[in-house]
Amino acid sequence: KKAIECYKKANELDDTVAEDWNNLGYYYDNGYGTEVDKKKAFECYKKANELDDTVAAHWYILGYCYEDGTGTEVDKKKAFKYYKKANELDDTVALYWNKLGFCYNNGIGTEVDEKKAFEYFKKACELDDTDAVYWNNLGYCYNNGIGTEVDEKKAFEYYKKANELDDTEAWYWNKLGVCYDNGYGTEVDKKKAFECYKKANELDNTFSLESLGRCYLHGIGTKIDLEKAKEFLDKAQKLYPKDEEIIELLKELENANNE
């Protein structure tokens, strides 16, 4: 609370300091020492950029506001334009490269360009190889042939690295489970697959529910347990009622119980 009061006072005494406006925006944006006010946050961020348009971070945060609709209307084209400007002003920041890669991959404010998406994701990882997200993005590209040739071995290596860097992310565990289960980029290891699915589920990954149900139904990496199979498959069906694979697994379970 004292911090925002100091920034406000400093801003009242001299409203030409861009960083003071940017700091005020951050506090309004996150509700630090004041109530969250996204509109005020956007106005402050915008003022900071008007006062100093040479700071890459000012452009980036405005890009985020336009993409997310923070304090303003969603404008994907402006978001992309601002992200691109941030990257032009400072091409040493991995976050900016990754965001542009995301835009090119998903057509956010620009046309889809998978080759550029891959190049930008790769650059982000080269600039910061400690962020699991960047490794995961490259794994995704190699797995699906996004801007590069499909390479299951590389995909597995990148997914594994992402998991090593952040073992609290359920999605990474689930992807590794799929790789071990099907032998994508590595040898088939049903026990490891089951363990990965189980860990993913403990971290609230919903896609692992079907996989765990299948494992317990068929004894994949664990002993057959029809009660547990039903538990997980019922949960999966509630979330994905039209999923054909889940429907088929439930039919198999019903037949197994009737034998």
Side-chain angles (χ1 to χ4, degrees):
K1 193 171 183 179
K2 283 184 178 180
I4 192 171
E5 287 172 359
C6 290
Y7 285 129
K8 286 173 80 174
K9 187 65 178 177
N11 187 254
E12 288 169 6
L13 293 169
D14 184 358
D15 63 359
T16 64
V17 181
E19 206 54 36
D20 287 345
W21 283 99
N22 191 67
N23 288 333
L24 274 175
Y26 180 76
Y27 276 72
Y28 282 124
D29 198 358
N30 296 282
Y32 294 150
T34 184
E35 290 184 6
V36 171
D37 192 325
K38 299 294 185 180
K39 191 173 181 180
K40 277 188 180 178
F42 173 75
E43 290 168 356
C44 290
Y45 290 144
K46 193 176 180 186
K47 184 67 176 178
N49 193 52
E50 289 169 358
L51 288 168
D52 188 355
D53 63 0
T54 67
V55 179
H58 294 174
W59 288 92
Y60 182 84
I61 192 64
L62 279 173
Y64 173 79
C65 289
Y66 282 121
E67 183 187 359
D68 192 55
T70 298
T72 186
E73 290 184 6
V74 170
D75 189 326
K76 303 291 187 182
K77 284 186 177 180
K78 274 191 179 178
F80 176 76
K81 178 183 174 183
Y82 279 61
Y83 290 144
K84 200 162 185 289
K85 184 67 177 178
N87 182 249
E88 289 168 1
L89 287 169
D90 188 353
D91 64 0
T92 68
V93 180
L95 178 65
Y96 302 163
W97 287 96
N98 189 68
K99 176 56 78 170
L100 284 172
F102 183 78
C103 289
Y104 281 122
N105 189 48
N106 296 283
I108 296 173
T110 186
E111 291 183 5
V112 170
D113 189 325
E114 292 184 350
K115 191 173 181 181
K116 279 188 177 179
F118 174 73
E119 290 169 358
Y120 278 65
F121 286 146
K122 192 176 180 184
K123 184 66 177 180
C125 198
E126 289 170 358
L127 287 168
D128 183 2
D129 63 1
T130 66
D131 194 315
V133 171
Y134 304 155
W135 288 90
N136 179 68
N137 287 343
L138 280 175
Y140 167 80
C141 289
Y142 284 120
N143 191 39
N144 297 283
I146 304 296
T148 186
E149 291 183 5
V150 171
D151 190 325
E152 290 183 356
K153 192 173 181 181
K154 278 190 178 179
F156 173 75
E157 288 171 1
Y158 279 81
Y159 286 148
K160 196 165 184 284
K161 183 66 176 180
N163 180 253
E164 288 169 2
L165 289 168
D166 184 4
D167 64 0
T168 67
E169 176 54 56
W171 192 240
Y172 301 162
W173 285 100
N174 192 66
K175 284 182 178 177
L176 281 178
V178 172
C179 290
Y180 285 122
D181 200 357
N182 298 281
Y184 296 152
T186 187
E187 291 184 5
V188 171
D189 190 324
K190 298 297 185 180
K191 191 173 181 181
K192 279 188 179 179
F194 173 74
E195 289 169 357
C196 288
Y197 291 143
K198 193 176 179 185
K199 185 66 177 179
N201 179 252
E202 288 169 4
L203 292 168
D204 293 328
N205 178 270
T206 58
F207 290 104
S208 61
L209 292 170
E210 176 192 336
S211 299
L212 281 172
R214 178 169 51 82
C215 287
Y216 282 118
L217 177 60
H218 295 147
I220 298 171
T222 187
K223 292 180 180 178
I224 290 175
D225 188 325
L226 299 184
E227 284 186 15
K228 283 189 177 179
K230 178 173 172 51
E231 176 190 340
F232 285 106
L233 290 173
D234 282 348
K235 287 180 181 177
Q237 190 182 42
K238 284 180 182 178
L239 292 170
Y240 311 105
K242 295 182 180 179
D243 189 296
E244 292 182 5
E245 288 186 20
I246 296 172
I247 292 169
E248 286 302 314
L249 287 170
L250 283 167
K251 286 179 181 177
E252 283 186 47
L253 176 62
E254 186 177 355
N255 291 333
N257 280 321
N258 290 332
E259 289 178 356

